Every structure is written in structure tokens, then in C-alpha cells.
Amino acid sequence: MISAFMMAMAAQASEAKPDWRAVAIADVNAAYRLFAENHPGMANPEDPAFPARLAAAHNASLKIAFETRDWDGYDRALDAFTDGLSDGHAFVVASDEPGKVWGKRAWPGFTAAWRGHSLYVHRAGPNSPAPVGSRILSCGGTEVEQLIRSRNRGLWFRPAEAGQWWNMGPSLLMGSIPPEPDQLKSCSFQLPDGRVQSASLRWERMPAVIFDTYRRAFAGEETPIGLSEPRTGVWLLGLSSFSPDEKGQAAYRKLHADIDRERAKLLKARAIVIDLRFNSGGSWLWGHDVARRLWGAKAVDERMNHFFRDVRIAWRASRDNITKLSAAIGKIRAGGHAKEADEVQTIVTGMEEALAAGQVSFIERPSFGDGRQQGDSPTDLDTPVYVITHGGCSSACLDAIDTFKRFENVKLIGAPTSADTTYMEAPRGALPSGFGVIAIPLKTWMHRPRKSGEGYQPDIPFNDLDWSTTAFLERIESDLQAVGPAPASR
């Protein structure tokens, strides 16, 4: 009897809900300690306000944590911490709520897409309250822009970055069955003919094909990693990820071989289209390798050395950071980048020496090739190059654009990108409770030409609702006809 009673009590205890107030306070305090001990901003002369910003994020988060009673409060507390840092590489975020049973995906008969400065009906089903191309003005009496700001926070939305609106706009009109408490019930539309009408939303189960439409709404059609010639004389390079798995790494090896084999044709092509849609970053090496094969290793390396001539990279010397960076060496080597793996080992050694000497950081000077800084080294590639950009392009995706834009024959086409700060290389780990995730950058770029929070605007804005590859190729054809043959690159 006693044994059975004790077993029942133990089972009840294991099913008891966490003390979310205690969990939130402990995780928020742990996050602050880990950031203070490991983040390079604590010793960055170019960002002297970071310690105060971190303290303010901690205080705002802790205030919510003390009032927390459930998982929602825990989630909001971590988001407040992340909001205070406003950096896609530095965050704390809650994992899914334990035991949460999500409803079935639902849509109100249409999908939405952000274009320019507004939200539009992107695809309409039979029960859509408005046709394709209608501008969505407000929902539930609140303007769309304010709704997007209020419903997206923390890691998921940085409103100062233009590309973030393209990314998050479509999610405003996603729902579930049964509906969430705050699910939208009505919206007001400006129809293509100029009339304004309001309508109730009828939420229904989302067909699988419609979920893919949400992805197309913010980034269009994904081009697989590889090289193809979809039109005579127009070559398409798919760079959809800089975080490739084994299959993706094999695709990059084939892409490199294909570029090398077809380079003579690329030199005489009408256009080269580099497609970055769906690329949200990863390792800068993948984009750099492609650039060296296109424009030539010497031309790329010298231009990048000139671009980064004043840059120094400060790696925060801490035991945690050394452990994390050491763990990456094998992965870099496995990706076929032995030279770069050796360079990371040199950085690890420098961090260890700095830590032993009581120094806060190890300072690295980036260098490419033989280190020469000539900024206008010649290239034989004068083919017009169009780089398709999207709102989610950040981190290493931006690094690739930094490289591509060193050449005069490059135009960006698409959407404004997201941005990043100068804090980089941010491996993820678990918060002490196991209910959340933390990411802390290991290094900061000092004197980087592209400033913190600076993204890219397209040379050719593409605000059409149709973001298919065919639509982009048509627009590129029009630009080629308008500008005529491109001048030779130097």
C-alpha cells in the first residue's frame, strides 16, 4: 500500500507543471551571466554602450520574469531580453511549450505577401474575401503595420530592417483550427479597382499546397544549389543555403566543377543570375568560393583585402568560447576547407594564449590570398551579373553580397535584405532549464565597412506578387535590353 501510494505521488510530481516564475528568473539571470562572460561587446571600443544595453535587456526581461505565472510569461520574458539586444545573432528564445497541442494549420481563404511598404493578397482561394492584388489595410480595426509589430517580437522580428517586413508579413494571416484566442476575425481591403471593403474571415483547414505558397510569398521559388542555363546565354547559379548538409555539400562540389568547366561560356554569356532566395546565412566560405571561381581568385582576394584593409576581428577569449570554436574545426575540415580549418585552429590557439595572459580578446587581421590590397585588380568576367536578394538574407548571405558588389558588373534585384550587427559566429546552446535556447556571438568585426544594422537595397526593386524564377528572368531580360552591352570590368 505504501509503495503504491509513493509511486502515485511520484507520478503526480513528474506531471506537475514547472514553476514558470522560478524558471524564468533563473534562465534570465543565467543568460545575463553567460552574455557578460562571453560576449565580445563587453570589451568593444566601437560599441561602448553594449554593457549598458545588456543590463537594460536583463532588467526588462527580469521585470517580466518576476510576474510570470505560465509558459507565455516565460516566453515574453526571454523575448524582452532578445528585443533589448536587437541582434539576430544574439538571443534567448523559448522552445515549444511543454505539452502544447497545436491546432491544424488554417488559412482565411487567401495568403498575404509584403511588397514595397504594404501587405497584399498574394493568392486567393474560392472563399477569399478579396481578390489577388488587394491591399490589406487593417484587421480587427488595427492597421496592418501595427499588427505586425505587436504580434512579432524577440528573435522573430527586427522592424528597423526592411527585409524583415517581407519575411514576417505573410505570417499575419496564418491561423489554426481550433483558433487561437487572438486569431484575426475580420480585415479591411483596398481592392485593385480602388474600392475599400471590410469582410469577416472564414478560417478553414490549409491544404498542404497552400503552406508552400506562404514560403513563396516571402522568398519566391527556390533554386537548388547548382548551375543551369534556363535561357540561351542566361546562366542561373542557385545558392539557396550556406549551411549545407552532406547532400548540399556534394551539390556545391558539383557546382564548383560545373563553373570551372563552363567558365568559357560564362565569359561570353548574356547574363549570369546568382539566386540567393531562401539563403539566410551559414558559412561565408561557400559564397566566397563561388566568387573566386567566377571572377578569378586573385581578383576576388585582392579586392576583399582592400575592402577589409582596416578591419580587425576581436575574438572574446573565454573558456566557453574556446570550447565552442574548437568544436567547429572538424566540421569545417569535413566540408572540404582544410586551409580554413587550420586558420580556425590558429585563432583557437590565439584565444588560449590571450586567456592565459589575462587579456579579454584575441585580435585577428583577416587576409585573403597573398594579402595584397590592390582594390581594382583585373578580372576577365564582364558578363552582366544579377544577384536575386530576399528579405531573409542575413549573416553570411550578406557577406556574399559584400564580395559580389566589389565588381562593377553586379546588380542586385529583388527585395531589401535583413541586416546584422558586427557580432558574429554565434553557436547555440540550451538554457539551464532546458526550456529555452541561447546564442552568443564569439567575435566582433572592428572597422567593418558595412556598418552594424546596415543591409542592402536592391538596384532593381522587384515588387511584383509573382516571385517565380520565370518572372525574375523576364525582368532581367528587360534590363538587358534597356542598358545594352555592359562595359568591361577592370
Side-chain angles (χ1 to χ4, degrees):
M1 290 289 292
I2 295 177
S3 176
F5 174 76
M6 294 299 292
M7 291 176 62
M9 291 294 292
Q12 290 179 11
S14 67
E15 296 173 1
K17 292 183 178 180
D19 180 347
W20 287 111
R21 180 178 184 274
V23 169
I25 292 171
D27 275 357
V28 167
N29 284 331
Y32 177 74
R33 176 182 57 79
L34 291 168
F35 269 89
E37 292 175 353
N38 299 290
H39 194 288
M42 297 302 288
N44 182 4
E46 292 193 342
D47 188 12
F50 179 83
R53 196 160 66 249
L54 177 62
H58 177 225
N59 290 337
S61 180
L62 202 56
K63 182 178 180 181
I64 298 173
F66 276 118
E67 299 173 354
T68 291
R69 295 293 180 269
D70 51 25
W71 180 89
D72 286 334
Y74 175 74
D75 184 40
R76 285 187 290 105
L78 297 193
D79 282 347
F81 198 111
T82 300
D83 281 337
L85 299 177
S86 190
D87 178 358
H89 287 115
F91 58 83
V92 288
V93 61
S95 303
D96 285 344
E97 181 180 359
K100 171 76 172 181
V101 178
W102 296 97
K104 301 295 184 181
R105 289 195 185 108
W107 72 319
F110 66 95
T111 59
W114 190 269
R115 296 292 186 267
H117 301 285
S118 299
L119 193 66
Y120 293 89
V121 174
H122 176 249
R123 174 170 176 169
N127 295 326
S128 175
V132 169
S134 300
R135 187 159 72 98
I136 306 168
L137 304 175
S138 63
C139 294
T142 303
E143 291 184 356
V144 160
E145 181 177 332
Q146 181 55 39
L147 277 173
I148 294 175
R149 286 180 182 273
S150 64
R151 288 172 174 248
N152 299 284
R153 60 179 191 258
L155 170 63
W156 312 114
F157 188 53
R158 299 181 299 280
E161 301 172 20
Q164 291 279 298
W165 293 87
W166 287 67
N167 257 21
M168 297 310 302
S171 66
L172 183 65
L173 275 304
M174 292 182 72
S176 66
I177 295 177
E180 294 292 319
D182 61 349
Q183 198 155 301
L184 299 175
K185 296 179 175 60
S186 64
C187 289
S188 177
F189 305 85
Q190 183 178 42
L191 306 184
D193 62 10
R195 291 182 297 122
V196 174
Q197 73 176 28
S198 297
S200 298
L201 301 182
R202 296 172 55 190
W203 293 94
E204 55 192 33
R205 284 282 298 274
M206 182 192 300
V209 66
I210 298 300
F211 183 69
D212 183 63
T213 301
Y214 278 96
R215 297 177 74 247
R216 288 174 174 260
F218 66 79
E221 183 178 353
E222 183 172 350
T223 299
I225 297 168
L227 177 68
S228 62
E229 189 181 11
R231 299 187 178 195
T232 303
V234 177
W235 291 79
L236 179 64
L237 277 78
L239 304 182
S240 56
S241 173
F242 288 156
S243 300
D245 55 16
E246 290 186 8
K247 182 179 178 181
Q249 291 179 27
Y252 267 110
R253 288 192 291 272
K254 184 177 186 303
L255 171 61
H256 295 163
D258 289 347
I259 293 174
D260 294 344
R261 186 184 64 253
E262 304 289 0
R263 192 166 186 276
K265 294 180 182 178
L266 295 173
L267 293 176
K268 298 178 181 180
R270 293 192 296 126
I272 297 171
V273 182
I274 300 176
D275 192 351
L276 291 174
R277 286 176 296 177
F278 291 95
N279 190 317
S280 58
S283 171
W284 64 273
L285 291 168
W286 301 107
H288 188 70
D289 284 350
V290 168
R292 294 174 95 241
R293 282 177 159 80
L294 287 175
W295 284 279
K298 183 170 181 278
V300 170
D301 290 346
E302 290 188 10
R303 287 181 183 227
M304 294 311 294
N305 281 327
H306 182 74
F307 187 59
F308 289 139
R309 61 192 178 278
D310 297 324
V311 167
R312 302 293 182 271
I313 299 176
W315 294 83
R316 178 71 186 274
S318 72
R319 181 50 54 195
D320 280 356
N321 289 353
I322 290 170
T323 300
K324 291 173 183 175
L325 192 59
S326 297
I329 295 174
K331 296 179 181 178
I332 296 172
R333 200 177 301 280
H337 298 102
K339 178 176 177 289
E340 288 76 13
D342 291 340
E343 291 172 351
V344 174
Q345 181 59 64
T346 300
I347 293 168
V348 169
T349 300
M351 293 169 71
E352 290 174 335
E353 292 173 351
L355 184 62
Q359 299 170 353
V360 178
S361 302
F362 165 69
I363 306 300
E364 174 201 5
R365 178 175 179 171
S367 180
F368 302 89
D370 60 12
R372 282 184 288 182
Q373 296 182 9
Q374 183 178 344
D376 57 353
S377 49
T379 175
D380 57 353
L381 181 72
D382 57 17
T383 304
V385 176
Y386 295 85
V387 180
I388 302 179
T389 61
H390 70 109
C393 177
S394 61
S395 190
C397 182
L398 296 175
D399 294 339
I401 299 177
D402 287 341
T403 303
F404 301 153
K405 288 292 282 184
R406 306 280 64 76
F407 295 90
E408 298 170 358
N409 57 331
V410 172
K411 289 182 179 180
L412 306 183
I413 179 172
T417 67
S418 290
D420 55 27
T421 67
T422 57
Y423 299 114
M424 297 288 174
E425 210 79 39
R428 301 183 180 191
L431 287 169
S433 71
F435 292 120
V437 175
I438 183 169
I440 304 175
L442 307 182
K443 67 182 183 182
T444 182
W445 287 66
M446 302 170 68
H447 316 302
R448 189 182 71 178
R450 177 167 48 82
K451 302 302 181 184
S452 182
E454 180 181 348
Y456 279 98
Q457 292 288 333
D459 301 302
I460 305 174
F462 198 75
N463 291 320
D464 293 12
L465 289 175
D466 180 3
W467 256 49
S468 66
T469 300
T470 297
F472 272 99
L473 292 177
E474 287 294 327
R475 181 65 183 85
I476 288 168
E477 292 276 16
S478 297
D479 189 70
L480 288 170
Q481 294 175 11
V483 301
S489 298
R490 293 181 294 168

